[in-house]
Amino acid sequence: MSRPDRGRRDHAVRASVLALCFAVLYVGGVVAPWGQWADAVLFSLLTGAGAGVRGVAGVLREGLVVVLGTTAAVVGLLALRGRRRGAVVAWAAVVVASVTLSSVLRDMVLTRPVHDEVFGYAYNTFPSTHVTVTTTLGLAVVALWPSRDGYARVVVREAVLVAVVLACLVNVVTFAHRPADVLGALLLAGCLASVAGTIHPAGVSPLPPGKFTQVTPLPAPRAA
């Protein structure tokens, strides 16, 4: 099996697993009464713990999307200059699809049944569009990052991870979403990225690490 075919297969398997996990989380954490109870308990704990930083969390909730969006745009322009047009198109499609699909699923397809007044919710908030787009923008930054330096790429990857974790927390602390909503958004973002990888594996993959050039020493001069 060639490497592109193997990459497509791996991405397809990953997309299927993430889609299944998304469905299980929705049924277990949003539809089922016991799932609503567990989600509500965790929601109460997190919002209570974050009461003192709720003002800062509200700023972070909007600011993270702006920062990652701006960074992704700059990195995308650099990638275009580096003749990685296919990768830029692939990740732009993933980001747009994340916003569209997340909104459609939340507002038009999925519902949240009300089992009782304590754990019930007047409307569905699963999944979180904020977290979905934040995650896909972060993945795009990592994949399109122009440097081949290993240390720089690790720093970027860890920074994006911190930003995504913060996005999950601030969306819960500010009462915008419940824990199940942000977990579902992470699964949806990963699924969409894997679907893109199934179609165009090279487009969603980061640059390979740089190679050191081995300098061949000059031959010693012959004796006269």
Side-chain angles (χ1 to χ4, degrees), residues 95-116:
V95 173
V96 172
S98 72
V99 177
T100 304
L101 185 58
S102 183
S103 300
V104 170
L105 286 173
R106 183 193 64 203
D107 300 333
M108 300 176 62
V109 177
L110 304 179
T111 60
R112 179 184 175 90
V114 179
H115 298 292
D116 56 57

Side-chain angles (χ1 to χ4, degrees), residues 12 58 69 118 205:
V118 177
S205 300

